Each structure stands twice: as C-alpha cells, then as structure tokens.
Amino acid sequence: MVSRSYSNLLELASGESPTFENMNRRIPRIMTVAGLISDVDDDPLESVCSDPSSSSVQRERIIIVANQLPIKAQRKQDGNNKNNWFFSWDDNSLLLQLKDGLGDDDIDVIYVGCLKEDVHPNEQDEVSQILLETFKCVPTFLPGDLFTRYYHGFCKQQLWPLFHYMLPLSPDLGGRFNRSLWQAYVSVNKIFADRIMEVINPEDDYVWIHDYHLMVLPTFLRKRFNRVKLGFFLHSPFPSSEIYKTLPIREELLRALLNSDLIGFHTFDYARHFLSCCSRMLGLSYESKRGYIGIEYYGRTVSIKILPVGIHMGQLQSVLSLPKTEEKVAELIEQFSDKGKIMLLGVDDMDIFKGINLKLLAMEQLLIQHPEWHGKVVLVQIANPARGKGKDVKEVQSDTKATAKRINDRFGKPGYDPVILIEEPLRFYEKVAYYVVAECCLVTAVRDGMNLIPYEYIISRQGTEKLDKVLGIGSSLKKSMLVVSEFIGCSPSLSGAIRVNPWNIDAVADAVDSALEMADSEKQLRHEKHYKYVSTHDVGYWARSFLQDLERTCSDHVRRRWWGIGFGLSFRVVALDPNFKKLSMEHIVSAYKRTKTRAILLDYDGTLMPQASIDKSPTSNSIKMLNSLCRDENNMVFLVSAKSRKTLAEWFSPCENLGIAAEHGYFLRLKRDAEWETCAPVTDSSWKLIAEPVMKLYTETTDGSTIEDKETALVWCYEDADPDFGSCQAKELLNHLESVLTNEPVTVKSGLNHVEVKPQGVNKGIVAKRLLSAMQGKEMSPDFVLCIGDDRSDEDMFEVITSSGPSMAPRAEVFACTVGRKPSKAKYYLDDTTDIVRMVQGLACVSDQIVLC
C-alpha cells in the first residue's frame, strides 16, 4: 500500500502548504514482540494522509477494536509434551454478536484486541498468524506488568469507579489519580494503534472502537491518518460534569474522543453529560440539525449517536430451543412452581455497583411488610464472577453472603429458603432456564451503563412452543414483569417496567409486591410492549444504525483539506474547504505594495482586540497602527463594530482619517470631522418598550447576564453566566423575543454569548457595499480590498467583497480573512488576534515607508 506523509509537522502547525513524499513501505502483518512499535509511521509527530488515488475497489471493511477479542483460547499438551493452542469464537461476546447481527456478506470484519490468556513471546508470531488467517483477528500482546497497570490499575481503579460516580475521597473509595497508571493507559492505547496500522486501509476502512479502555486511541489513529473513518461507542455511563471535572486528565480524554467522527452513547443522559463537559471544559457548543446532534470542532462536525445496544435474538432463540434448556426448565418447575413457590430472579456481576445487597435488603423488607408471602416467594440471585479484582469485590461477596444467611435464618423453614444465592458459574442455557421460569426479574444496580439482563428475560419469557408445553401455558398467555433501577441504561427503553430508586429499600419492596399482585392481563400487555421493542431493536439493528451514521458523518472526508495541529494528546485535525488557506504575510504585503487604491475593513472585538480582554479600549500601539494606515492617501480604512457610536468616537478620537461604522453599520462616518450618517431608514425605537422588560426578566433569573442598551439595538450578554444555563436561557429568550416582536421592524439574532435585537436590514455587509460604492463614485475603484472579522456578523462583509466584481478594478486583489480555522465565507484565515495585529502592523510599516518617500 502506498501512502503519503507530511514531512514536517511544523509545516502543518504554521499553516503552510505541506509537502508530500511517496513512501513505498512494507506493511507488516504481525508484530512479533510485545510493545514493539511497528515500522509504519515511526515518528510520533508524523501525520499521515493516504493518497486517495491509491485506494482500490474492494469489499467494505470494518475494523472493530476492543480491549478483548471475541475469542476463547485454550492451551493443551499433546503426547510429546508440546503446547498447542486451540481457539474458538466466544459466543457471549458482544463483538461477535455485532458481526452476526450485521448479516452482510459484503462486509469484512477484522477484530483487534487482547486475548484473555497469556501468550509467551516465542509463540506470539504463530498465534498471530493463526488468529489472522482463521478468525480475522489481530491480537495485541501486552507485557503482564503493563497490562496490570493499564487494566486493573487505570481502567478498573480510576476510570471505571469515576464513570460510575464514585469519587476517590479516601483510598478505600476507588484509586487516587496515579500518573504512572495513566502513562500505562496511554502506552497500551499506542500499542493498539500500532496493531491497527498493520491492517488498515485508511481511505476505505471504517474503524469502530469500543468502551473506556481505549479512549485516547482516536488521537493516535487520527494523527497517523487524518481522514480515517472513526467511530467510538462508550458502553459505560458518562458522568455529570461535576463528577467528571475532578479527573486530572479530563481535557485530554475529551479531546481524544473528539478525534472520532461519531461518538455513541446508550442514553441521552450519558450524551448530555458528555456535551456539557465539552461546553464547560473546552468551550464547545453543539446543535441539532434534522435530528442529528453535532459538535463543531476545528471545522469538523463530530456527530453524537444515542442508541442502546440490543441482544442477539438468533443466539437466544437457539438456546431456548435446546433440549437441555427444556430439561432445566422442567427441573426448575419441579423445584419451585410445583411446590407453590414463586421465583423472583436477579442476575448480576459481583461488583459494588450492581446493588445485590440492596436487592436482598428489599427482599427482607418485603417479607417484613407482607407476611403473606412467607413460604411462597423465593429470590434466586445468580452472582456472576466479578470482572475486576480487589478489596471492594471481596467486601461485596462477604456482605452478600452475610445478608443472605441472615434473611434465611430469620424467615426460612424446612424446605424453604427465601434467598438462594448461586455463586458458581452457570452455563448460558441454565441462566435462560431461570429466565423462563421467573415470575419477575429484579435489576437494582446503583449505576450501570446498559445491562441487557431485562432484555434477555423478556425474550426468554416469550419462549417457544415446546417450552409452552413444559410450562403448561398457551401461546397467547405470555407475560413478564420487571422491576428495574432508574440508574441503568436500559431503563428508558422499558416503559412497562416498574422503575425504582434502588437506595429506597421500602419502595423496592413495594414495587416487588405490586409486580406480584398485578393482574395477568396487565402483565401480558406490558410484556407485549417490551417484546415488540426488544425483538426489533436487537444487536443487528444497533450495529447497522451506528455504521450508517458513521458512513453519513464521514461522507465528506475526501473533498475536505485536512491539517494536523498540536502535539501529544492535544493533537487534532482541522478540516476545511480546499480553497481555504492561511493568509501569507509575504503574499498580502506584495499585493499591498503593487496596488494604488485600497479599501480596508476591520472588525474590532475579537479581531484587533481579544474577546477575553476586560478593558476593550484600544492600546496606543493600535491607535498608532491605524493612523499609519489612514495617513496613506491610497487607503480608505473603516473600523466596523457592534459597539455604540459614542464609545467608538471616544476611543478612536486620535484617528482623524479613520472611517467608523457603529452598531453593525447602522451609523457611519467617513472621518472624524464628518457627520454621522445612517445606512438604513431611521426606525421607531418603541419596540424597546416590549423587548427590554423581557430581557430584564431573563437577566434577573440568569446570574452573570447583562443588558447592553444601544441607540438602535438591545443586546443580552451571558458570557459570565453558567455556560449550560446561559445557552439554555438564550434559546428560550430568542423564542420569547421572536414571539413578542413578530410585528416589529426588527430582527432577533443569537451570537457568541449574546442575543441581539436590531433593526431589520442592518448588517456589516451594508458598510462594505457603501464603501465600495463611494469609492466607485469617486472613480477610485479599489484594486486591493482587505476585510478581517471573527464571527457570524462579519460573514456579511465577506460575502459582499467576494461577490462585488463590478465595484472593483479588474483583477483586484481581494482578501477576506477570518480569525481561526473554521467554516467561513472568507477564503483566508489567521490563527488569532496576535497574528492579525502583526499582519496589519506589517501593512502599516509599508505605508509609513511610502509616506516618508
């Protein structure tokens, strides 16, 4: 495969056109030593863009990346005491179910991840070859110590507790942030990137990364291939900003995720928390267009996908049809139903967030409050082995056993234990049999990303014809009941379930009693509703929907220009129109020197003066620079601002020949001694009597907001308010003002941290038209036009000067320049106000030399 590489990242950072060189490199298929960086893109600062012309037509391919491969591995010895590896698919792996759910023979799926078993370095080549050729799996081999610090250290002791709302307030409550564990996490993500590099065709392949173990991987891949088609799905909760912001590397993780094209979450709550963090910590805003939520990030739209994962219907139905499942169901009926006992079922991993002990306490409370259920109701709690390890897991195990024993000692009798705790691993068909027999399923996790147990329970209760005969029920009498925690990802999709706060033991006990007492007809209706949703929103539906959105999001990759900027985990790419480029100092100075009639339009706030400045008045250097431009008789210089004419006249009184356009161009004067003119018909300002009380209402209820009263406009500013609340209030205010001002000759517009009401037809484009027309009327058609601005209001000026050919001299040099790399009608950009001032200062120096000559 032939690829092109940027030869120097400094060229990228400077915005200069990158130079390319062909690299005919061998792409290795196997990394033979754990942790060894592949020979592709050895330089971590190197940013790679594949040549579109080198892509060949082939089957669509998806590279699925996760911490673990969907593979079971066993080591066995043959008769010669030689170790042999035996591999098979792990049918319970979501990644494998995802592939089956796609069900498309035209899609190739390659997996990248770790094996559950340790493989000696001497065997890694052979194992890699077998897995790649037989299973299309690329194993990532990690040294034992590195894996421990990465997985059991950073993932399980720091990220996982925090994402489940556990703050490390003491050493016993999750791990305190450890820089060495974080470095191990980054190192492992880098190794994963190296493995992906060995098999990826970057122009054609889609990469789908799964879960919090690999949150910085998008940055490494985006650095290697700027146009990589990259999706990420988080299977855990995403915490609120109040929790997340305690993480020392909070911005690094957010920026890494934003190097994806599509980010998926199970619920709107998780997505909302992520968007809030992006707003509060990175200053990014999002908007919804035609049902799709997107974040604008350096010219790219990072899409947000909200869709809970489903179950593998085919796999579960095949297990329901197994003869051994029927046998187990018959055995459970004999154990419970035939003896007049009603089974309640809980199936959970043995960890601190699954709320097993709370469930047992609720069972105890049920027996206390409702003695009529003594001897009749049994809670079967299946405790799956914990995925992590540590002190907290041991404490959960001991607490669960102690609570179960206490309840059985208190309420049990010969032939009846109210709690049956099953700790030994069960085969999947055995769990399914418990689902089939259970009258009600209880899921009381205090925090869980998704939890598919309720879905499996619903499909199992639908059963099969043979199971109906074993149960002695008709096919039309299917019913199920669910008591689920409010804090699990599947809860919003199960509208027929009884939702509970698992911390409220009494409420959970009452919910279980309601489930048991509910009429069969109601249970059937709820079951039908759940079954319809779960059976149609299976894992295949989820996977296809995600990949369709990923394809839609990446559809414009080829036609955009891409730059990589930043170093380390601050790396990101800028994707812009091919004609959009950085304004070269040499280019504009050269054009400035050879032209004779120049029009210069300069915005003020955010262009000549940084937005963050508290004192907005111009510096002495700015005044000197503007006077130098104005003294040049070949120049007509205009300052265009949203500020009031009184403020601008006071600030720029030393500039005798400076033209000023105030309040977006409503007021205009050609020089200091000239009279103020209006660029639009004078309007009645009685509309302020309607708008101002509305703005005052929102100011009183939004701490940090202010009102700016101009001669022709009213502006509600919220830059010092809480960003989320301010944005929310601004949207509400916008709608409110549009409603009450419908019949008034004004427009209501929102901008960066403000909502403005101003007369209709007033915008900065009027100033550009007026200036060009005035110069044309004096037979001074400009052969040089420079217009610089930083926000939406300046786009009107850009549009005018780029489409006003007849008002200018033939072959006029036109420079429409915005501040920062972002989508704009301007064809040029400079990075910040410092660059703008430096460039304008350069032009001023040229004018000084001309005047002196």
Side-chain angles (χ1 to χ4, degrees), residues 557-571:
H557 276 19
V558 174
R559 67 177 184 83
R560 309 290 292 278
R561 291 180 69 203
W562 298 74
W563 289 278
I565 59 174
F567 297 92
L569 293 177
S570 295
F571 177 86

mmCIF file with all atom_site columns, all heavy atoms in Angstrom, residues 557-571:
data_model
loop_
_atom_site.group_PDB
_atom_site.id
_atom_site.type_symbol
_atom_site.label_atom_id
_atom_site.label_alt_id
_atom_site.label_comp_id
_atom_site.label_asym_id
_atom_site.label_entity_id
_atom_site.label_seq_id
_atom_site.pdbx_PDB_ins_code
_atom_site.Cartn_x
_atom_site.Cartn_y
_atom_site.Cartn_z
_atom_site.occupancy
_atom_site.B_iso_or_equiv
_atom_site.pdbx_formal_charge
_atom_site.auth_seq_id
_atom_site.auth_comp_id
_atom_site.auth_asym_id
_atom_site.auth_atom_id
_atom_site.pdbx_PDB_model_num
ATOM 1   N N   . HIS A 1 557 ? -15.304 13.380 3.807  1.00 0.00 ? 557 HIS A N   1
ATOM 2   C CA  . HIS A 1 557 ? -13.872 13.344 4.122  1.00 0.00 ? 557 HIS A CA  1
ATOM 3   C C   . HIS A 1 557 ? -12.990 13.628 2.899  1.00 0.00 ? 557 HIS A C   1
ATOM 4   O O   . HIS A 1 557 ? -11.999 14.346 2.990  1.00 0.00 ? 557 HIS A O   1
ATOM 5   C CB  . HIS A 1 557 ? -13.490 11.971 4.706  1.00 0.00 ? 557 HIS A CB  1
ATOM 6   C CG  . HIS A 1 557 ? -13.736 11.855 6.171  1.00 0.00 ? 557 HIS A CG  1
ATOM 7   N ND1 . HIS A 1 557 ? -14.575 12.688 6.858  1.00 0.00 ? 557 HIS A ND1 1
ATOM 8   C CD2 . HIS A 1 557 ? -13.244 10.987 7.109  1.00 0.00 ? 557 HIS A CD2 1
ATOM 9   C CE1 . HIS A 1 557 ? -14.599 12.346 8.135  1.00 0.00 ? 557 HIS A CE1 1
ATOM 10  N NE2 . HIS A 1 557 ? -13.798 11.336 8.318  1.00 0.00 ? 557 HIS A NE2 1
ATOM 11  N N   . VAL A 1 558 ? -13.348 13.059 1.778  1.00 0.00 ? 558 VAL A N   1
ATOM 12  C CA  . VAL A 1 558 ? -12.472 13.118 0.608  1.00 0.00 ? 558 VAL A CA  1
ATOM 13  C C   . VAL A 1 558 ? -12.339 14.540 0.073  1.00 0.00 ? 558 VAL A C   1
ATOM 14  O O   . VAL A 1 558 ? -11.265 14.955 -0.362 1.00 0.00 ? 558 VAL A O   1
ATOM 15  C CB  . VAL A 1 558 ? -13.000 12.178 -0.498 1.00 0.00 ? 558 VAL A CB  1
ATOM 16  C CG1 . VAL A 1 558 ? -12.180 12.328 -1.774 1.00 0.00 ? 558 VAL A CG1 1
ATOM 17  C CG2 . VAL A 1 558 ? -12.950 10.730 -0.021 1.00 0.00 ? 558 VAL A CG2 1
ATOM 18  N N   . ARG A 1 559 ? -13.414 15.318 0.125  1.00 0.00 ? 559 ARG A N   1
ATOM 19  C CA  . ARG A 1 559 ? -13.373 16.646 -0.503 1.00 0.00 ? 559 ARG A CA  1
ATOM 20  C C   . ARG A 1 559 ? -12.828 17.738 0.417  1.00 0.00 ? 559 ARG A C   1
ATOM 21  O O   . ARG A 1 559 ? -12.703 18.878 0.005  1.00 0.00 ? 559 ARG A O   1
ATOM 22  C CB  . ARG A 1 559 ? -14.765 17.040 -0.988 1.00 0.00 ? 559 ARG A CB  1
ATOM 23  C CG  . ARG A 1 559 ? -15.777 17.283 0.115  1.00 0.00 ? 559 ARG A CG  1
ATOM 24  C CD  . ARG A 1 559 ? -17.119 17.745 -0.442 1.00 0.00 ? 559 ARG A CD  1
ATOM 25  N NE  . ARG A 1 559 ? -18.062 18.072 0.608  1.00 0.00 ? 559 ARG A NE  1
ATOM 26  C CZ  . ARG A 1 559 ? -18.098 19.241 1.231  1.00 0.00 ? 559 ARG A CZ  1
ATOM 27  N NH1 . ARG A 1 559 ? -17.224 20.177 0.909  1.00 0.00 ? 559 ARG A NH1 1
ATOM 28  N NH2 . ARG A 1 559 ? -18.996 19.474 2.176  1.00 0.00 ? 559 ARG A NH2 1
ATOM 29  N N   . ARG A 1 560 ? -12.504 17.399 1.657  1.00 0.00 ? 560 ARG A N   1
ATOM 30  C CA  . ARG A 1 560 ? -12.005 18.409 2.591  1.00 0.00 ? 560 ARG A CA  1
ATOM 31  C C   . ARG A 1 560 ? -10.481 18.409 2.635  1.00 0.00 ? 560 ARG A C   1
ATOM 32  O O   . ARG A 1 560 ? -9.826  17.415 2.348  1.00 0.00 ? 560 ARG A O   1
ATOM 33  C CB  . ARG A 1 560 ? -12.525 18.134 4.015  1.00 0.00 ? 560 ARG A CB  1
ATOM 34  C CG  . ARG A 1 560 ? -14.019 17.928 4.128  1.00 0.00 ? 560 ARG A CG  1
ATOM 35  C CD  . ARG A 1 560 ? -14.813 19.184 3.897  1.00 0.00 ? 560 ARG A CD  1
ATOM 36  N NE  . ARG A 1 560 ? -14.623 20.173 4.941  1.00 0.00 ? 560 ARG A NE  1
ATOM 37  C CZ  . ARG A 1 560 ? -15.274 20.162 6.102  1.00 0.00 ? 560 ARG A CZ  1
ATOM 38  N NH1 . ARG A 1 560 ? -16.124 19.194 6.387  1.00 0.00 ? 560 ARG A NH1 1
ATOM 39  N NH2 . ARG A 1 560 ? -15.074 21.112 7.001  1.00 0.00 ? 560 ARG A NH2 1
ATOM 40  N N   . ARG A 1 561 ? -9.915  19.565 3.000  1.00 0.00 ? 561 ARG A N   1
ATOM 41  C CA  . ARG A 1 561 ? -8.475  19.641 3.269  1.00 0.00 ? 561 ARG A CA  1
ATOM 42  C C   . ARG A 1 561 ? -8.262  19.420 4.751  1.00 0.00 ? 561 ARG A C   1
ATOM 43  O O   . ARG A 1 561 ? -9.018  19.935 5.584  1.00 0.00 ? 561 ARG A O   1
ATOM 44  C CB  . ARG A 1 561 ? -7.924  21.009 2.866  1.00 0.00 ? 561 ARG A CB  1
ATOM 45  C CG  . ARG A 1 561 ? -7.899  21.253 1.378  1.00 0.00 ? 561 ARG A CG  1
ATOM 46  C CD  . ARG A 1 561 ? -7.334  22.628 1.076  1.00 0.00 ? 561 ARG A CD  1
ATOM 47  N NE  . ARG A 1 561 ? -5.917  22.710 1.375  1.00 0.00 ? 561 ARG A NE  1
ATOM 48  C CZ  . ARG A 1 561 ? -5.277  23.839 1.633  1.00 0.00 ? 561 ARG A CZ  1
ATOM 49  N NH1 . ARG A 1 561 ? -5.934  24.985 1.682  1.00 0.00 ? 561 ARG A NH1 1
ATOM 50  N NH2 . ARG A 1 561 ? -3.982  23.854 1.858  1.00 0.00 ? 561 ARG A NH2 1
ATOM 51  N N   . TRP A 1 562 ? -7.226  18.670 5.094  1.00 0.00 ? 562 TRP A N   1
ATOM 52  C CA  . TRP A 1 562 ? -7.003  18.294 6.492  1.00 0.00 ? 562 TRP A CA  1
ATOM 53  C C   . TRP A 1 562 ? -5.614  18.743 6.934  1.00 0.00 ? 562 TRP A C   1
ATOM 54  O O   . TRP A 1 562 ? -4.629  18.531 6.231  1.00 0.00 ? 562 TRP A O   1
ATOM 55  C CB  . TRP A 1 562 ? -7.110  16.775 6.655  1.00 0.00 ? 562 TRP A CB  1
ATOM 56  C CG  . TRP A 1 562 ? -8.462  16.241 6.302  1.00 0.00 ? 562 TRP A CG  1
ATOM 57  C CD1 . TRP A 1 562 ? -8.984  16.089 5.056  1.00 0.00 ? 562 TRP A CD1 1
ATOM 58  C CD2 . TRP A 1 562 ? -9.468  15.784 7.203  1.00 0.00 ? 562 TRP A CD2 1
ATOM 59  N NE1 . TRP A 1 562 ? -10.244 15.573 5.120  1.00 0.00 ? 562 TRP A NE1 1
ATOM 60  C CE2 . TRP A 1 562 ? -10.570 15.368 6.433  1.00 0.00 ? 562 TRP A CE2 1
ATOM 61  C CE3 . TRP A 1 562 ? -9.543  15.663 8.594  1.00 0.00 ? 562 TRP A CE3 1
ATOM 62  C CZ2 . TRP A 1 562 ? -11.736 14.860 6.993  1.00 0.00 ? 562 TRP A CZ2 1
ATOM 63  C CZ3 . TRP A 1 562 ? -10.701 15.151 9.163  1.00 0.00 ? 562 TRP A CZ3 1
ATOM 64  C CH2 . TRP A 1 562 ? -11.775 14.764 8.363  1.00 0.00 ? 562 TRP A CH2 1
ATOM 65  N N   . TRP A 1 563 ? -5.550  19.355 8.103  1.00 0.00 ? 563 TRP A N   1
ATOM 66  C CA  . TRP A 1 563 ? -4.282  19.710 8.737  1.00 0.00 ? 563 TRP A CA  1
ATOM 67  C C   . TRP A 1 563 ? -4.237  19.094 10.126 1.00 0.00 ? 563 TRP A C   1
ATOM 68  O O   . TRP A 1 563 ? -5.235  19.099 10.853 1.00 0.00 ? 563 TRP A O   1
ATOM 69  C CB  . TRP A 1 563 ? -4.127  21.221 8.907  1.00 0.00 ? 563 TRP A CB  1
ATOM 70  C CG  . TRP A 1 563 ? -3.890  22.002 7.669  1.00 0.00 ? 563 TRP A CG  1
ATOM 71  C CD1 . TRP A 1 563 ? -2.709  22.199 7.022  1.00 0.00 ? 563 TRP A CD1 1
ATOM 72  C CD2 . TRP A 1 563 ? -4.864  22.732 6.929  1.00 0.00 ? 563 TRP A CD2 1
ATOM 73  N NE1 . TRP A 1 563 ? -2.882  23.006 5.933  1.00 0.00 ? 563 TRP A NE1 1
ATOM 74  C CE2 . TRP A 1 563 ? -4.204  23.352 5.848  1.00 0.00 ? 563 TRP A CE2 1
ATOM 75  C CE3 . TRP A 1 563 ? -6.241  22.926 7.083  1.00 0.00 ? 563 TRP A CE3 1
ATOM 76  C CZ2 . TRP A 1 563 ? -4.863  24.145 4.924  1.00 0.00 ? 563 TRP A CZ2 1
ATOM 77  C CZ3 . TRP A 1 563 ? -6.906  23.713 6.163  1.00 0.00 ? 563 TRP A CZ3 1
ATOM 78  C CH2 . TRP A 1 563 ? -6.217  24.309 5.101  1.00 0.00 ? 563 TRP A CH2 1
ATOM 79  N N   . GLY A 1 564 ? -3.093  18.592 10.511 1.00 0.00 ? 564 GLY A N   1
ATOM 80  C CA  . GLY A 1 564 ? -2.906  18.162 11.888 1.00 0.00 ? 564 GLY A CA  1
ATOM 81  C C   . GLY A 1 564 ? -2.209  19.256 12.666 1.00 0.00 ? 564 GLY A C   1
ATOM 82  O O   . GLY A 1 564 ? -1.226  19.826 12.195 1.00 0.00 ? 564 GLY A O   1
ATOM 83  N N   . ILE A 1 565 ? -2.730  19.591 13.837 1.00 0.00 ? 565 ILE A N   1
ATOM 84  C CA  . ILE A 1 565 ? -2.103  20.618 14.670 1.00 0.00 ? 565 ILE A CA  1
ATOM 85  C C   . ILE A 1 565 ? -2.006  20.106 16.101 1.00 0.00 ? 565 ILE A C   1
ATOM 86  O O   . ILE A 1 565 ? -2.786  19.259 16.533 1.00 0.00 ? 565 ILE A O   1
ATOM 87  C CB  . ILE A 1 565 ? -2.879  21.959 14.645 1.00 0.00 ? 565 ILE A CB  1
ATOM 88  C CG1 . ILE A 1 565 ? -4.315  21.757 15.139 1.00 0.00 ? 565 ILE A CG1 1
ATOM 89  C CG2 . ILE A 1 565 ? -2.864  22.572 13.272 1.00 0.00 ? 565 ILE A CG2 1
ATOM 90  C CD1 . ILE A 1 565 ? -5.096  23.050 15.293 1.00 0.00 ? 565 ILE A CD1 1
ATOM 91  N N   . GLY A 1 566 ? -1.055  20.621 16.850 1.00 0.00 ? 566 GLY A N   1
ATOM 92  C CA  . GLY A 1 566 ? -0.895  20.236 18.247 1.00 0.00 ? 566 GLY A CA  1
ATOM 93  C C   . GLY A 1 566 ? 0.007   19.024 18.396 1.00 0.00 ? 566 GLY A C   1
ATOM 94  O O   . GLY A 1 566 ? 0.270   18.287 17.441 1.00 0.00 ? 566 GLY A O   1
ATOM 95  N N   . PHE A 1 567 ? 0.467   18.825 19.615 1.00 0.00 ? 567 PHE A N   1
ATOM 96  C CA  . PHE A 1 567 ? 1.379   17.737 19.912 1.00 0.00 ? 567 PHE A CA  1
ATOM 97  C C   . PHE A 1 567 ? 0.804   16.852 21.016 1.00 0.00 ? 567 PHE A C   1
ATOM 98  O O   . PHE A 1 567 ? -0.035  17.282 21.812 1.00 0.00 ? 567 PHE A O   1
ATOM 99  C CB  . PHE A 1 567 ? 2.746   18.296 20.336 1.00 0.00 ? 567 PHE A CB  1
ATOM 100 C CG  . PHE A 1 567 ? 3.421   19.087 19.242 1.00 0.00 ? 567 PHE A CG  1
ATOM 101 C CD1 . PHE A 1 567 ? 3.242   20.456 19.141 1.00 0.00 ? 567 PHE A CD1 1
ATOM 102 C CD2 . PHE A 1 567 ? 4.203   18.445 18.297 1.00 0.00 ? 567 PHE A CD2 1
ATOM 103 C CE1 . PHE A 1 567 ? 3.843   21.180 18.138 1.00 0.00 ? 567 PHE A CE1 1
ATOM 104 C CE2 . PHE A 1 567 ? 4.810   19.167 17.285 1.00 0.00 ? 567 PHE A CE2 1
ATOM 105 C CZ  . PHE A 1 567 ? 4.635   20.529 17.195 1.00 0.00 ? 567 PHE A CZ  1
ATOM 106 N N   . GLY A 1 568 ? 1.278   15.615 21.057 1.00 0.00 ? 568 GLY A N   1
ATOM 107 C CA  . GLY A 1 568 ? 0.830   14.695 22.098 1.00 0.00 ? 568 GLY A CA  1
ATOM 108 C C   . GLY A 1 568 ? -0.668  14.486 22.034 1.00 0.00 ? 568 GLY A C   1
ATOM 109 O O   . GLY A 1 568 ? -1.269  14.383 20.968 1.00 0.00 ? 568 GLY A O   1
ATOM 110 N N   . LEU A 1 569 ? -1.300  14.445 23.213 1.00 0.00 ? 569 LEU A N   1
ATOM 111 C CA  . LEU A 1 569 ? -2.734  14.210 23.272 1.00 0.00 ? 569 LEU A CA  1
ATOM 112 C C   . LEU A 1 569 ? -3.538  15.469 22.977 1.00 0.00 ? 569 LEU A C   1
ATOM 113 O O   . LEU A 1 569 ? -4.768  15.434 23.004 1.00 0.00 ? 569 LEU A O   1
ATOM 114 C CB  . LEU A 1 569 ? -3.115  13.642 24.644 1.00 0.00 ? 569 LEU A CB  1
ATOM 115 C CG  . LEU A 1 569 ? -2.577  12.235 24.909 1.00 0.00 ? 569 LEU A CG  1
ATOM 116 C CD1 . LEU A 1 569 ? -2.940  11.768 26.304 1.00 0.00 ? 569 LEU A CD1 1
ATOM 117 C CD2 . LEU A 1 569 ? -3.088  11.236 23.872 1.00 0.00 ? 569 LEU A CD2 1
ATOM 118 N N   . SER A 1 570 ? -2.856  16.583 22.715 1.00 0.00 ? 570 SER A N   1
ATOM 119 C CA  . SER A 1 570 ? -3.551  17.791 22.275 1.00 0.00 ? 570 SER A CA  1
ATOM 120 C C   . SER A 1 570 ? -3.709  17.830 20.761 1.00 0.00 ? 570 SER A C   1
ATOM 121 O O   . SER A 1 570 ? -4.251  18.795 20.212 1.00 0.00 ? 570 SER A O   1
ATOM 122 C CB  . SER A 1 570 ? -2.781  19.040 22.729 1.00 0.00 ? 570 SER A CB  1
ATOM 123 O OG  . SER A 1 570 ? -2.757  19.134 24.129 1.00 0.00 ? 570 SER A OG  1
ATOM 124 N N   . PHE A 1 571 ? -3.250  16.795 20.097 1.00 0.00 ? 571 PHE A N   1
ATOM 125 C CA  . PHE A 1 571 ? -3.335  16.752 18.640 1.00 0.00 ? 571 PHE A CA  1
ATOM 126 C C   . PHE A 1 571 ? -4.797  16.734 18.194 1.00 0.00 ? 571 PHE A C   1
ATOM 127 O O   . PHE A 1 571 ? -5.635  16.073 18.775 1.00 0.00 ? 571 PHE A O   1
ATOM 128 C CB  . PHE A 1 571 ? -2.630  15.502 18.101 1.00 0.00 ? 571 PHE A CB  1
ATOM 129 C CG  . PHE A 1 571 ? -2.731  15.358 16.611 1.00 0.00 ? 571 PHE A CG  1
ATOM 130 C CD1 . PHE A 1 571 ? -1.815  15.980 15.781 1.00 0.00 ? 571 PHE A CD1 1
ATOM 131 C CD2 . PHE A 1 571 ? -3.764  14.628 16.040 1.00 0.00 ? 571 PHE A CD2 1
ATOM 132 C CE1 . PHE A 1 571 ? -1.907  15.865 14.401 1.00 0.00 ? 571 PHE A CE1 1
ATOM 133 C CE2 . PHE A 1 571 ? -3.869  14.508 14.667 1.00 0.00 ? 571 PHE A CE2 1
ATOM 134 C CZ  . PHE A 1 571 ? -2.941  15.127 13.853 1.00 0.00 ? 571 PHE A CZ  1
#
